[in-house]
Each structure stands twice: as structure tokens, then as C-alpha cells.
Amino acid sequence: MTDLTGKTALVTGSARGIGKAIALRYAKLGANIVINYSSDTANGEQALKEVHEHGGQAIAVQADISEAADVDRLFAEAEERFGSADIVVANAGLELLGVPITDLTDEQIDNMVNVNARGALLTMHRAAKNISDNGRIVYIASTAIANPVPGAGLYTATKAPGRYFAEVLARETSDRGITVNIIQPGPIDDAGVFIDSIPADSPFRSLQAAGRIGDRIGTPKDVADAAEYLVSDLAAWVSGTTIGVTGGLPQ
Ligand code: NAD
């Protein structure tokens, strides 16, 4: 059993979805939790309430990860409340599927680059500067990186930089005992069922069909299981690597 008592975990984009599942898992394992959300205050408050129900200490911080000053404030508020973070999960991200590259607007490109690429890099940069020795950093990428799908060009391209940043960061922080790893989820849905909003003729639909074991696709719990492993003693010698939680898709 993983024991995170006395540790502090900061998870970006943790008001819902995969980030929330990871934050709640770490709370159950005894960690102090820093919930982060951008604009969905109601979900941030709800996530905070659920962490408290697990008996954990937690704060919820509104911060846009694509803004350097916000990321600085996020880490400063975490430190002020709990001291240096021991675990940082760079999870927050935006999805954009089903738009061919020629149909993308400049606004969509800027937004996705700012949140998915710049935001992930800023989060890991500040994590490396603020995290305690022997800390754990996890980047939530996507199996889209390894499975080019028409209509997912911008998403794929903006999720990739974080992976390579994390791999180099692992080498640069190893002398401090810090591990940096990547989780590449495949298709994930709360209920583990096909995401109906994706048109039946979309190539992403076939990716979902391929990325499953048994009769379901992945759930946030599957990703939280991998995120638990990476901060556990079992993963003390695991760094700079990518774990696919993909239902069998390449990662
Ligand atoms: P989600 O949309 O349910 O949650 C993403 C969270 O990030 C939201 O709470 C959102 O408010 C937050 N966020 C967005 N922009 C932000 C910003 N600028 N600053 C701070 N927070 C911000 O998505 P999810 O499915 O839980 O995905 C979480 C991560 O997992 C993402 O990085 C995504 O790319 C990745 N992922 C998801 C899937 C999937 O199928 N769901 C598959 C592979 C990878």
C-alpha cells in the first residue's frame, strides 16, 4: 500500500476528469492536495469538498497554467499552505478533435499551443525549481502522439513537447533524487464507454475501437492507478519513461 502521509501533491486541471481522479487517489493515500482549475470554480470547489471527505488537507487554487504569473502564484500558494510540493502532476490540457489542419483557426492554434504546450512546460519548469528533493513529477501526455489521427493534428502536436521536456528534465534532476515520468493515456471516458460525441466516421472512432481491453475503453481510474505507481516506492528507480495506459495502442 502506497503511503503519502505528509507529502504534498499539486495536480493541475484537477477539478474534473483524469486530474481529479489522480488528486482524489493521492488524497486517499494520505497526501495534502493542491487542486487547480482555470475557470470552472464550481468544479474546483466540488473537488475540494471530495478531497476533504477523504479526510485530506487541501486547497483549491484558480490559476491558468498558460500564464507564467498564474503558475508562479499556484506554486507560491501551495508552498505557503503546505511547504514545498513533493509530487507535481502536469495534467491540465485541452482537447480538440475532428478539425482537419486546413480548417484550424489562428485562435485555435494559439489557444492549444498556449495551454497544452506552454502550460505543460511552465508547470514542469516551476515544478523542477520548487519541488522537494526526491520529489516526483508526472506529465499526462496522450497516445495521440504515437497514433497520428486525421483531425487531431493540433492536439497531437501540442501534447508532444511536454513528453520530450519531461524526458530531459528526468536527466537534469536525477542528482536531486527526483523522478520525472510520462503517462500516455489512450481513449478515456468516465464510464469506460465509447465517446459518443465523436462522429461514427471519424478516424478517432477507430482509435477508440483499437484502444480497449475487453468491452471497454479506459477510465480516469486506470490513469490514477499508473499515477499511484509512479509516486510509490515501487517506482523509485523509474524515471524518464513513458507508461501507456492505452488498452493496447502503441505509446
Ligand atoms: P477534462 O477536460 O475533463 O479536464 C481537463 C482539466 O484541465 C479541466 O478541469 C480544465 O478546466 C483544466 N484546464 C484546461 N485549461 C486549463 C488552464 N489553462 N489552466 C488550468 N487548468 C486548465 O480532460 P481529461 O480528459 O480529464 O484530460 C486530462 C488530461 O489528460 C489532458 O491533458 C488530456 O490531454 C489528457 N488525455 C486525455 C484523454 C482522454 O481521452 N480523456 C486521453 C489522453 C490524454
Side-chain angles (χ1 to χ4, degrees):
M1 169 86 177
T2 310
D3 183 4
L4 300 181
T5 306
K7 307 274 189 204
T8 295
L10 184 160
V11 184
T12 63
S14 44
R16 65 171 198 230
I18 291 169
K20 181 172 157 184
I22 294 171
L24 288 179
R25 176 67 61 85
Y26 291 165
K28 266 189 207 166
L29 300 172
N32 304 318
I33 303 297
V34 181
I35 300 279
N36 158 248
Y37 60 97
S38 51
S39 54
D40 45 355
T41 309
N43 283 336
E45 294 304 320
Q46 175 60 27
L48 187 63
K49 195 168 147 241
E50 289 179 42
V51 172
H52 285 144
E53 282 165 8
H54 287 302
Q57 300 288 316
I59 56 172
V61 181
Q62 185 282 330
D64 178 346
I65 58 150
S66 68
E67 297 287 343
D70 275 25
V71 181
D72 283 338
R73 185 172 46 75
L74 172 62
F75 278 89
E77 288 190 29
E79 174 140 22
E80 191 180 325
R81 176 66 177 82
F82 297 121
S84 296
D86 304 291
I87 297 165
V88 174
V89 183
N91 164 78
L94 297 174
E95 201 177 69
L96 182 66
L97 305 171
V99 185
I101 289 170
T102 50
D103 289 352
L104 289 169
T105 65
D106 291 352
E107 191 184 0
Q108 285 173 322
I109 292 174
D110 287 349
N111 198 26
M112 296 288 284
V113 167
N114 280 338
V115 175
N116 285 359
R118 179 178 157 81
L121 269 50
L122 283 173
T123 302
M124 287 189 271
H125 176 257
R126 297 323 198 258
K129 288 167 79 95
N130 288 284
I131 202 165
S132 59
D133 286 353
N134 305 312
R136 307 286 173 99
I137 298 172
V138 179
Y139 170 56
I140 307 297
S142 169
T143 196
I145 292 172
N147 296 274
V149 172
L154 185 54
Y155 179 69
T156 302
T158 56
K159 292 298 291 182
R163 172 171 170 172
Y164 303 109
F165 201 68
E167 288 177 356
V168 175
L169 189 60
R171 302 286 301 276
E172 291 184 354
T173 55
S174 60
D175 58 346
R176 289 167 56 202
I178 294 166
T179 70
V180 187
N181 290 290
I182 301 106
I183 297 176
Q184 248 167 234
I188 301 290
D189 178 69
D190 279 339
V193 296
F194 284 75
I195 302 164
D196 291 333
S197 59
I198 297 171
D201 60 353
S202 162
F204 200 75
R205 196 55 114 145
S206 59
L207 196 66
Q208 286 191 90
R212 66 176 189 178
I213 296 173
D215 63 356
R216 71 173 180 89
I217 61 170
T219 64
K221 176 191 175 299
D222 294 309
V223 184
D225 288 342
E228 176 179 341
Y229 165 70
L230 287 174
V231 303
S232 74
D233 290 344
L234 296 174
W237 201 245
V238 176
S239 194
T241 200
T242 296
I243 297 182
V245 181
T246 66
L249 283 167
Q251 45 89 20

